[in-house]
Amino acid sequence: DVKVTQSSRYLVKRTGEKVFLECVQDMDHENMFWYRQDPGLGLRLIYFSYDVKMKEKGDIPEGYSVSREKKERFSLILESASTNQTSMYLCASSSHLRDRGQTQYFGPGTRLLVL
Amino acid sequence: GNSVTQMEGPVTLSEEAFLTINCTYTATGYPSLFWYVQYPGEGLQLLLKATKADDKGSNKGFEATYRKETTSFHLEKGSVQVSDSAVYFCALSSSGSRLTFGEGTQLTVNP
């Protein structure tokens, strides 16, 4: 079974702090994604990566950066946390192989509260 | 660009009722279509998918048929259970690996 783990389930930070969210997958997937989930807005893509050291902006990258130094690990960084970044953050991974139907596998999520 | 529209929620049903959650899409090319489910306190998990027109995805009693002529992928279940209470997301992928999600539909099933 695919397993995607996220470093924290709940996190409380103060405005201006630098925040690191870590994601690890154990299925040797090439693609990894970071989303935020907000009520009424569904999931919005922040950044994704299709290979080590590669990254692409998603739909809402402002205020975020990412790092992918190893294939299994994808980190989301909030350089200076703000209250409007309070949200649920979901990490996902998928294989390059087209016959897998681009299925993404999700972690349990990190609920971040910025005070 | 790609977009997915789901019926507005929340949806509240009694146990053993019939469920339909509507999903329509706009996409270039020939997208793959997905339904994901999120149980309380958990991440999303794939419920079912269809990769070409007229395909039917099915899992755990849920079904959805890829209708290219109406650009729809409606989710149905003949008899819902309390354990089906969750948020359901329709999604599509038209190229590469990116998914475009709908807003999600909260389903509550009462005993």
Side-chain angles (χ1 to χ4, degrees), chain A residues 9 31 37 59 100-101 104, chain B residues 34 36 38 41 49 97-98:
Chain A
R9 293 300 300 270
N31 306 319
Q37 181 181 7
D59 300 318
R100 302 276 179 89
Q104 290 187 16
Chain B
F34 304 81
Y36 280 83
Q38 184 179 34
K49 66 183 181 186
S97 304
R98 289 186 60 160

Side-chain angles (χ1 to χ4, degrees), chain B residues 7 19 70:
Chain B
M7 67 183 288
L19 168 70
T70 55

Side-chain angles (χ1 to χ4, degrees), chain A:
Chain A
D1 274 357
V2 176
K3 189 147 188 186
V4 180
T5 56
Q6 295 184 228
S7 50
S8 305
R9 293 300 300 270
Y10 301 95
L11 213 51
V12 180
K13 296 293 181 181
R14 298 226 173 257
T15 302
E17 280 191 77
K18 191 168 187 176
V19 182
F20 292 87
L21 303 182
E22 303 283 338
C23 175
V24 177
Q25 51 93 5
D26 67 357
M27 277 300 292
D28 202 35
H29 282 168
E30 293 82 5
N31 306 319
M32 296 188 75
F33 307 84
W34 275 107
Y35 297 91
R36 63 177 283 176
Q37 181 181 7
D38 300 288
L41 297 176
L43 273 71
R44 293 179 290 169
L45 182 64
I46 303 171
Y47 268 97
F48 65 103
S49 168
Y50 51 86
D51 203 350
V52 176
K53 297 193 185 295
M54 305 300 288
K55 62 183 179 184
E56 294 281 344
K57 291 181 179 179
D59 300 318
I60 51 164
E62 296 78 18
Y64 303 93
S65 62
V66 290
S67 172
R68 189 146 180 224
E69 296 296 319
K70 293 185 178 181
K71 189 175 185 180
E72 67 272 17
R73 188 179 297 270
F74 193 36
S75 303
L76 180 70
I77 304 151
L78 287 64
E79 296 290 342
S80 177
S82 63
T83 55
N84 63 12
Q85 292 179 309
T86 291
S87 187
M88 169 73 95
Y89 291 87
L90 292 165
C91 175
S93 70
S94 71
S95 168
H96 268 323
L97 297 177
R98 186 162 179 84
D99 63 359
R100 302 276 179 89
Q102 296 101 18
T103 299
Q104 290 187 16
Y105 298 85
F106 283 81
T110 295
R111 190 167 292 281
L112 173 66
L113 173 62
V114 182
L115 300 174

Side-chain angles (χ1 to χ4, degrees), chain B residues 30-43:
Chain B
Y30 301 93
S32 296
L33 301 174
F34 304 81
W35 277 101
Y36 280 83
V37 59
Q38 184 179 34
Y39 298 106
E42 298 183 13

